[in-house]
Amino acid sequence: MTLVSIITPSYNQAAYLEQTILSVLNQDHPRIEYIVVDGASTDGSVEIIKKYESKLAYWVSEKDRGQADAINKGFARATGEIIAWLNSDDYYLPGAVNAAVKVFEERSDVVLVYGNMLAVDEHGKTFNTLNYKPLTLEDLLCFQIIGQPAVFMRRSALQKTNGLDLTFHFLLDHLLWIQIAQHGQILHVDQTWSAARYHAEAKNRAKAVEFGREAFRILETVAQDENLAPLLAKVAHRARAAAHRVDSRYLLDGGLPAKALSAWLRALFIHPPTALARMNIFVSSILNLLGLGKIRSAILNKRKDYYQ
């Protein structure tokens, strides 16, 4: 039976940590190596971890250099053929691990597999379902984003990378997917495997404006990779426009509609189809600039009600 290593990096997430831990421990896959790497939390997280330490393969609570460092520590400890990480405010749905393992066991050419993902608020209420589609390495270079909590990877492919880049803090997962995808097939499974929590303290909300900067850094990093650079050159305009689109989306989330609109228009100028695929960003930016942001909020709240 395939051993799966799951790593949870955590820092001061006591409000959500227990649900995360239980979502792993309650999986029906019989061989899970669970590793928790805490960054010296002071909010009661350590007490929660100790509550379950008999069921953990390893845990530690010590100062680190951020999320990437914590996850890399987990990677170094992991011995499973399949590896994933689950942040301490997200959680798996029942059966997720077994479903991922089944794919790897049936397809030796697959190095990364991903399912769909729920978006939930701080109370665990679903307000969206993120249904992904089959993607290629070219799509990843053009910032087709995969929900990290729904991703599992083959350890042999991970070992061909340098792990997570400590200088990235927001799109660190996306850069790793690109690096792994060089070494085999990536595969989408049309099942919902996990939930990502969106709350005020989460990076996707608290530091939304930083995400776009890292998109451009990814392009710079890839351009310096002798294996990836030729592929990037084939989709250069689409990739550049997509980086601006990513920037636009997160600027909007960060409450900067004028800058979001400007970034979206740059994407439109560079590669129109890439910008036009996310007309909702353009419309939302305009609504916010006109002082009609409440309309957008009402639509989002109606969507949340739909999922209850």
Side-chain angles (χ1 to χ4, degrees):
M1 181 65 69
T2 302
L3 178 63
V4 180
S5 298
I6 297 172
I7 299 134
T8 289
S10 186
Y11 180 65
N12 285 343
Q13 294 279 10
Y16 311 116
L17 178 59
E18 187 163 29
Q19 183 178 15
T20 300
I21 291 174
L22 288 173
S23 80
V24 175
L25 297 180
N26 290 336
Q27 290 292 308
D28 56 0
H29 186 73
R31 295 193 69 207
I32 292 178
E33 176 184 64
Y34 193 20
I35 298 166
V36 178
V37 184
D38 181 77
S41 292
T42 58
D43 66 341
S45 291
V46 173
E47 287 70 26
I48 293 171
I49 297 168
K50 286 182 177 179
K51 182 178 176 181
Y52 298 99
E53 65 180 339
S54 65
K55 298 181 180 180
L56 304 179
Y58 173 81
W59 74 275
V60 68
S61 182
E62 62 186 16
K63 289 188 178 297
D64 54 41
R65 291 178 286 173
Q67 182 188 20
D69 186 32
I71 297 166
N72 282 344
K73 287 180 182 180
F75 286 164
R77 288 267 178 181
T79 62
E81 181 184 339
I82 309 305
I83 294 181
W85 86 80
L86 185 68
N87 294 327
S88 53
D89 49 359
D90 302 328
Y91 56 91
Y92 287 134
L93 301 184
V97 174
N98 251 343
V101 169
K102 185 173 184 289
V103 174
F104 285 112
E105 290 180 341
E106 293 176 350
R107 292 281 303 272
S108 61
D109 59 325
V110 170
V111 294
L112 184 148
V113 64
Y114 59 102
N116 301 325
M117 187 178 77
L118 301 178
V120 304
D121 65 14
E122 61 269 29
H123 305 295
K125 292 183 179 179
T126 300
F127 62 88
N128 197 8
T129 299
L130 302 173
N131 295 312
Y132 301 107
K133 60 183 181 179
L135 299 175
T136 65
L137 176 52
E138 284 190 4
D139 292 325
L140 296 182
L141 291 173
C142 296
F143 296 98
Q144 293 292 315
I145 303 297
I146 301 170
Q148 174 272 313
V151 173
F152 294 80
M153 52 198 149
R154 202 178 290 277
R155 182 163 167 257
S156 58
L158 174 64
Q159 289 176 325
K160 293 176 182 177
T161 75
N162 293 319
L164 292 169
D165 187 325
L166 298 190
T167 67
F168 280 80
H169 304 286
F170 307 100
L171 292 176
L172 67 171
D173 51 351
H174 192 72
L175 178 58
L176 185 63
W177 310 156
I178 289 171
Q179 293 167 338
I180 288 175
Q182 296 181 78
H183 303 294
Q185 295 295 314
I186 61 175
L187 186 70
H188 172 244
V189 176
D190 194 18
Q191 300 171 358
T192 305
W193 286 351
S194 62
R197 196 182 303 272
Y198 292 75
H199 55 94
E201 293 79 25
K203 288 191 299 184
N204 48 35
R205 292 284 179 85
K207 298 183 179 179
V209 296
E210 302 291 334
F211 279 76
R213 297 174 190 174
E214 290 203 345
F216 295 107
R217 283 192 57 214
I218 286 177
L219 292 182
E220 293 169 3
T221 301
V222 169
Q224 295 169 7
D225 185 307
E226 61 181 14
N227 296 318
L228 289 171
L231 186 58
L232 178 61
K234 292 180 181 179
V235 293
H237 285 87
R238 180 183 163 205
R240 191 77 183 171
H244 283 291
R245 190 180 72 181
V246 168
D247 191 26
S248 177
R249 175 262 173 102
Y250 283 106
L251 286 168
L252 183 62
D253 286 350
L256 299 169
K259 290 185 177 181
L261 179 60
S262 179
W264 187 89
L265 290 172
R266 284 193 289 273
L268 182 68
F269 178 77
I270 295 168
H271 191 254
T274 293
L276 294 172
R278 291 298 303 271
M279 275 293 293
N280 60 312
I281 297 175
F282 171 77
V283 172
S284 294
S285 298
I286 294 295
L287 287 174
N288 277 276
L289 286 170
L290 294 175
L292 300 174
K294 290 183 178 180
I295 295 177
R296 177 174 180 256
S297 297
I299 293 171
L300 293 176
N301 287 332
K302 191 169 185 178
R303 175 188 286 179
K304 182 184 289 190
D305 291 340
Y306 172 81
Y307 282 97
Q308 301 316 308

